[in-house]
Amino acid sequence: MDYIKITETPSNHDNLEKLDTAAILSKMNEEDQKIADAVAKVIPQITELVDALAERFDKGGRLFYIGAGTSGRLGILDASEIPPTFGMPHERVVGLIAGGDIAIRKAVENAEDDRIQAWKDLQTHNITDIDVVVGIAASGTTPYVLGGIADAKKNGLLTAGITNNPGSPLTVAADIPIAVNVGPEFVTGSTRMKSGTSQKLVLNMISTALMIKIGRVKGNKMVNMQLSNDKLVDRGTRYVMEGLGVEYDEAEQLLKTHGSVKKAIESRS
């Protein structure tokens, strides 16, 4: 290993069990404040990925996240929020986790150590060379992720890797490495904390910027969101009111007739 495994380095804080509750929380917050600055340093790499994704999405391409444990769950979370937020079909952004869907709630022993399973999982989605695979692994060494990235590259797909260890195998394997150095975890090695938070921020940036680039946002509004509950219908109605300058009842009727804010506004333009 010719790199420093930052995710395993000792915490900046010790004797945690001797601290009172307020001190524990304050020191956790002190560490968390470093995360956004670390993410800011990799914006050029995120930019490269988003622009490449937008180009492929315009051709019908898809985004796949692969990961194990916390990293896999965060990919699934991000993917699951795209249809309701932006009205995209579920199959356009897909999260896959080592061990399958059961691993979302319960750890599956040794699943992350299988180097060939990720490509098998991807193949069930009829993957093509205009799709993009993003591997997520705080350590940058997870076999499930490394194997999936390697096989995706062999088959002509663009790959990216989100990790918290600069210089790790994932940064070498992926076409676009996104290495967020958040420093040691508050509890040594507990990557569900700072590393996981940084991954969530990066995933938010990737998917939201992509949706903006491909026209799923108008101004600053989610004009393609699914109208799946009363709160969202009310929000959509207010967006139509603002966009068209009409009263609430008329806006609500237009929204329900056309099925989305975007279509409701376009019906009067």
Side-chain angles (χ1 to χ4, degrees), residues 5-12 31 34-35 38 138 164-166 180-191 193-195 198:
K5 204 167 185 179
I6 295 168
T7 54
E8 296 296 331
T9 54
S11 172
N12 294 320
E31 290 299 319
K34 302 173 183 178
I35 300 171
N164 299 98
N165 280 329
V180 190
N181 183 356
V182 296
E185 295 288 356
F186 178 68
V187 175
T188 300
S190 182
T191 54
M193 302 182 78
K194 289 164 64 181
S195 296
S198 74

Side-chain angles (χ1 to χ4, degrees), residues 1-59:
M1 184 178 70
D2 56 358
Y3 67 98
I4 299 173
K5 204 167 185 179
I6 295 168
T7 54
E8 296 296 331
T9 54
S11 172
N12 294 320
H13 310 272
D14 203 355
N15 299 311
L16 302 183
E17 74 280 6
K18 297 179 181 179
L19 302 176
D20 63 28
T21 303
I24 291 171
L25 299 177
S26 294
K27 291 179 183 297
M28 287 177 64
N29 180 253
E30 176 185 322
E31 290 299 319
D32 287 345
Q33 290 180 46
K34 302 173 183 178
I35 300 171
D37 288 340
V39 171
K41 293 177 181 178
V42 297
I43 286 177
Q45 291 76 34
I46 300 172
T47 300
E48 182 182 357
L49 174 57
V50 171
D51 286 343
L53 276 165
E55 180 182 345
R56 285 161 174 77
F57 258 63
D58 284 341
K59 299 174 183 176

Side-chain angles (χ1 to χ4, degrees), residues 234-255:
D234 176 67
R235 180 187 296 165
T237 299
R238 288 183 284 106
Y239 288 173
V240 175
M241 289 175 65
E242 181 179 329
L244 294 178
V246 298
E247 295 299 319
Y248 189 96
D249 289 346
E250 184 178 357
E252 183 178 32
Q253 185 57 52
L254 283 168
L255 182 66

Side-chain angles (χ1 to χ4, degrees), residues 106-157:
K106 190 174 182 180
V108 177
E109 190 173 356
N110 298 325
E112 70 174 57
D113 295 329
D114 190 336
R115 287 187 65 93
I116 65 174
Q117 187 59 47
W119 183 245
K120 291 180 180 178
D121 293 342
L122 287 164
Q123 285 182 301
T124 66
H125 295 271
N126 299 314
I127 200 158
T128 74
D129 60 7
I130 60 170
D131 296 326
V132 177
V133 177
V134 177
I136 313 167
S139 67
T141 60
T142 307
Y144 177 84
V145 173
L146 291 176
I149 291 296
D151 287 334
K153 284 184 70 172
K154 286 179 187 175
N155 286 274
L157 280 75

Side-chain angles (χ1 to χ4, degrees), residues 204-221:
N204 285 348
M205 294 168 80
I206 292 169
S207 58
T208 304
L210 172 61
M211 292 300 114
I212 293 169
K213 295 280 289 183
I214 64 173
R216 309 304 290 185
V217 172
K218 178 71 173 176
N220 56 19
K221 305 293 195 302

